Amino acid sequence: MREVRHASPNTVASYLRDVTQFVSYLDGQGEGVREAESETVRAYMDWMLGQGKSAASVTRCLSSIKSFYNFLMLAGEVCVNPALGVAAAKAERKFPEVLTSKEVELLLEQPQCVDAKGFRDHAMLELLYATGIRVSELISLDMDDLNLAAGFIRCRSKGKERVIPLYPMAVAALRDYVQDIRPQMAADGGETAVFLNRNGERMSRQGFWKLLKCYQKAAGIEKEITPHTLRHSFAAHLLENGADLRSIQEMLGHADISSTQIYTQVVKKQLKEVYQKAHPKAQ
């Protein structure tokens, strides 16, 4: 089966696990693999959802069961595939986590500009919120990607390049860091990375993740903050304040406008929540 499907070891392992669990379920129902009908497969999908499995996991399992029965049909063990026609589980649409403007300010205030780490961390957080770039793009920035005099950065990702403007506070935070702090941190005069770790080398994703969690805790923000949270907040706040979707799409580097349109739903959801809490007739 593996040779036919040209699947990776992880895919094969998932497939075997899905099929084994399905067969175990059938055994518990007193039903054999050859006797299973479409209603049985649907019942199994419902049972999995009831066990707390995600819609994505249940859909993947359904695909495994379909492949399993296709194999049995080719082997002449069954005449029909009972999984055909069974609809995939509908995934619950999850909106991106977005910070309020107050929460963003609270987070950005946490790095104390009293030492090299504080100046560096303050510059990184300001830059993330100012531009909405991904954390991978943040740590990939080189010195020649900055144009602080003009107030923008150049970002490269997936073979494409985009230019993103900076607000004055982000420019000031970056200037303080790159002019006064970074030269002291660099282990090698030839190092091109903008953001350096304590060894004077390019900051890693893991390193940034740890410092972000530390500042979240210090700020007392209960929402689960990831590096992508500032990207989501950047887009939602721009939209709230009148920016058009096409401009936001360009700054985020989305290939498809549909990826950017999710923020319209986020803003509408937030407005509805505010309405429900604030309108006297909505209580």
Side-chain angles (χ1 to χ4, degrees):
M1 189 71 177
R2 177 175 172 179
E3 287 73 20
V4 173
R5 291 166 58 90
H6 302 291
S8 70
N10 285 340
T11 300
V12 172
S14 296
Y15 168 80
L16 291 174
R17 183 171 58 251
D18 292 340
V19 171
T20 300
Q21 290 175 351
F22 175 62
V23 172
S24 178
Y25 171 83
L26 291 178
D27 288 342
Q29 300 298 311
E31 194 168 349
V33 170
R34 295 176 180 82
E35 292 77 41
E37 297 180 350
S38 294
E39 285 306 313
T40 307
V41 178
R42 288 192 187 93
Y44 180 58
M45 299 294 106
D46 291 340
W47 178 81
M48 290 186 72
L49 288 170
Q51 295 295 305
K53 299 288 186 182
S54 69
S57 295
V58 174
T59 298
R60 188 206 66 221
C61 184
L62 176 61
S63 177
S64 295
I65 295 171
K66 286 180 180 178
S67 296
F68 175 58
Y69 274 104
N70 283 337
F71 174 74
L72 292 181
M73 287 178 68
L74 288 172
E77 296 292 332
V78 297
C79 297
V80 296
N81 186 335
L84 291 179
V86 177
K90 291 184 178 180
E92 179 184 353
R93 190 168 193 183
K94 294 183 179 180
F95 292 109
E97 186 74 270
V98 172
L99 300 177
T100 64
S101 296
K102 186 175 181 179
E103 287 170 333
V104 169
E105 289 300 324
L106 192 58
L107 182 66
L108 298 185
E109 288 171 359
Q110 294 313 306
Q112 300 300 304
C113 295
V114 295
D115 56 16
K117 182 180 184 300
F119 277 97
R120 180 202 64 189
D121 295 353
H122 178 59
M124 283 195 291
L125 292 181
E126 284 282 3
L127 182 58
L128 269 188
Y129 182 59
T131 61
I133 59 176
R134 304 171 180 89
V135 66
S136 58
E137 296 168 339
L138 174 77
I139 62 176
S140 296
L141 284 174
D142 289 325
M143 289 299 295
D144 61 4
D145 292 324
L146 306 183
N147 189 331
L148 300 183
F152 69 80
I153 65 167
R154 181 176 58 211
C155 182
R156 301 182 185 90
S157 180
K158 300 177 182 178
K160 295 183 179 180
E161 181 178 297
R162 63 191 193 275
V163 172
I164 312 171
L166 301 170
Y167 54 67
M169 288 184 67
V171 171
L174 273 169
R175 182 176 288 118
D176 288 344
Y177 166 70
V178 299
Q179 289 184 355
D180 302 329
I181 304 300
R182 185 186 175 280
Q184 304 170 23
M185 297 180 69
D188 179 359
E191 177 60 68
T192 61
V194 173
F195 295 110
L196 308 175
N197 60 24
R198 61 185 177 183
N199 296 321
E201 301 167 343
R202 189 180 296 273
M203 169 72 69
S204 68
R205 292 171 63 97
Q206 294 82 358
F208 181 77
W209 180 279
K210 288 179 182 178
L211 68 88
L212 180 63
K213 300 307 288 184
C214 177
Y215 291 130
Q216 173 189 349
K217 184 177 180 180
I221 299 174
E222 295 183 359
K223 291 177 181 175
E224 186 63 26
I225 298 179
T226 70
H228 232 58
T229 305
L230 283 173
R231 178 172 167 85
H232 295 320
S233 303
F234 161 84
H237 294 171
L238 279 178
L239 194 59
E240 281 179 340
N241 287 284
D244 64 277
L245 276 177
R246 288 291 179 187
S247 296
I248 297 174
Q249 176 193 5
E250 184 174 344
M251 285 184 278
L252 290 176
H254 284 162
D256 193 327
I257 190 69
S258 62
S259 299
T260 317
Q261 287 171 334
I262 184 66
Y263 296 109
T264 302
Q265 300 303 315
V266 171
V267 172
K268 287 180 179 178
K269 178 174 176 287
Q270 289 178 327
L271 286 174
K272 185 176 181 180
E273 289 173 353
V274 169
Y275 177 88
Q276 294 291 346
K277 289 179 182 178
H279 198 291
K281 292 290 188 179
Q283 305 302 316

